[in-house]
Amino acid sequence: MKQTTILLLLLALTFTGCQGLLLTGMMIIKGTDSPPTYDILLKGEKRVAVVPRAVVSNAFELQNAPREIARHLNSQLDEKVRNKKLKVVEQPKVEAWLDERNNNFETFVEVGKDRSIQADIVIGFDIVGFQVRDPQNPALIQGKCQVHVQAIEVATGKILASESLMIIDPPNMPLSGGPQVETQFRPQFSQVIAQQIGALFHHYDPHKLHRIDADNLEMHRLR
């Protein structure tokens, strides 16, 4: 019924010459999503694992951020990738593998090849820098994360995607607040990071990202 109504509306707009309204109607049907930078997950049957890794030394500042980001990214890919043949490995399986090895591994391919994972593609990300407070003024909260993202074909070790992102949130000015504000802010920042990573691999609506002035994802790329 809904599709019939929309079709009749578009036909009416066509005959009345309302081209602007017709374009708006087409956008309603098609949507406003932007395509991903890499379409490697959109076609074919694939089993994908999300693997986090931290290469920063400020463990206290970092805390559980890598795994929180990975969990958000896992759910995001499972929900938004338009490929019914895509299978995202359950994140608890990846975390169990990491726990058994105390988070120590040489390559992302090593994780994907394990019998408990058996991934075709690993989306791995290295957190190179991370902070939620300004070191010059600890009373201010502003998330900053430098992350290097790779998608790797497990069978061949071929790098299918590689991007470095610098994510700042809030982007314009820091927040002021104590431990309670930071506790609320951390999971939100992890989700922002996951959204920016996920947008590399699935269609996204730039206006719905948790980035108030970052409609163009190119601004986060490190050249």
Side-chain angles (χ1 to χ4, degrees):
M1 181 64 181
K2 182 178 179 181
Q3 292 180 341
T4 303
T5 302
I6 294 176
L7 180 59
L8 291 174
L9 172 63
L10 293 181
L11 288 173
L13 291 174
T14 302
F15 287 121
T16 55
C18 300
Q19 296 181 354
L21 292 176
L22 176 59
L23 178 60
T24 301
M26 292 176 66
M27 290 177 64
I28 292 174
I29 293 177
K30 186 178 180 180
T32 58
D33 283 359
S34 297
T37 305
Y38 303 98
D39 64 357
I40 56 177
L41 303 184
L42 304 184
K43 302 174 182 178
E45 187 171 348
K46 297 179 179 67
R47 183 175 169 88
V48 179
V50 176
V51 182
R53 183 167 59 183
V55 296
V56 293
S57 58
N58 55 339
F60 176 77
E61 183 86 358
L62 194 63
Q63 296 184 20
N64 295 321
R67 295 197 178 192
E68 290 178 356
I69 296 166
R71 290 168 193 162
H72 285 304
L73 180 57
N74 183 296
S75 299
Q76 192 175 322
L77 294 176
D78 195 39
E79 175 188 353
K80 293 183 176 295
V81 173
R82 298 166 184 174
N83 177 8
K84 294 181 179 180
K85 295 182 179 180
L86 181 76
K87 169 64 177 176
V88 184
V89 177
E90 296 88 343
Q91 206 59 32
K93 287 187 177 181
V94 176
E95 292 182 3
W97 191 95
L98 295 173
D99 286 338
E100 289 177 2
R101 293 154 182 81
N102 198 27
N103 292 311
N104 293 320
F105 58 93
E106 293 295 326
T107 67
F108 291 118
V109 169
E110 177 185 347
V111 186
K113 283 185 175 180
D114 190 84
R115 291 180 61 185
S116 64
I117 307 298
Q118 294 183 328
D120 300 306
I121 294 176
V122 169
I123 295 181
F125 60 89
D126 286 310
I127 296 182
V128 182
F130 186 92
Q131 69 180 55
V132 294
R133 287 191 178 273
D134 186 343
Q136 305 300 321
N137 190 345
L140 298 179
I141 295 175
Q142 186 177 45
K144 295 183 180 180
C145 180
Q146 183 178 345
V147 57
H148 181 64
V149 185
Q150 289 184 317
I152 306 167
E153 187 176 56
V154 173
T156 64
K158 180 181 179 180
I159 297 176
L160 305 175
S162 180
E163 291 286 346
S164 290
L165 309 176
M166 182 64 189
I167 301 164
I168 302 175
D169 186 67
N172 293 321
M173 63 180 62
L175 306 170
S176 60
Q180 184 175 357
V181 175
E182 181 178 339
T183 300
Q184 296 174 343
F185 174 77
R186 276 182 171 274
Q188 295 175 2
F189 185 44
S190 294
Q191 188 170 7
V192 166
I193 297 169
Q195 287 175 327
Q196 296 294 326
I197 296 173
L200 296 172
F201 302 104
H202 63 69
H203 289 79
Y204 65 93
D205 184 341
H207 300 288
K208 290 184 178 180
L209 288 178
H210 290 176
R211 310 292 302 152
I212 59 176
D213 69 349
D215 284 355
N216 183 2
L217 291 178
E218 290 292 334
M219 69 179 291
H220 299 299
R221 306 281 169 81
L222 296 179
R223 299 303 181 186

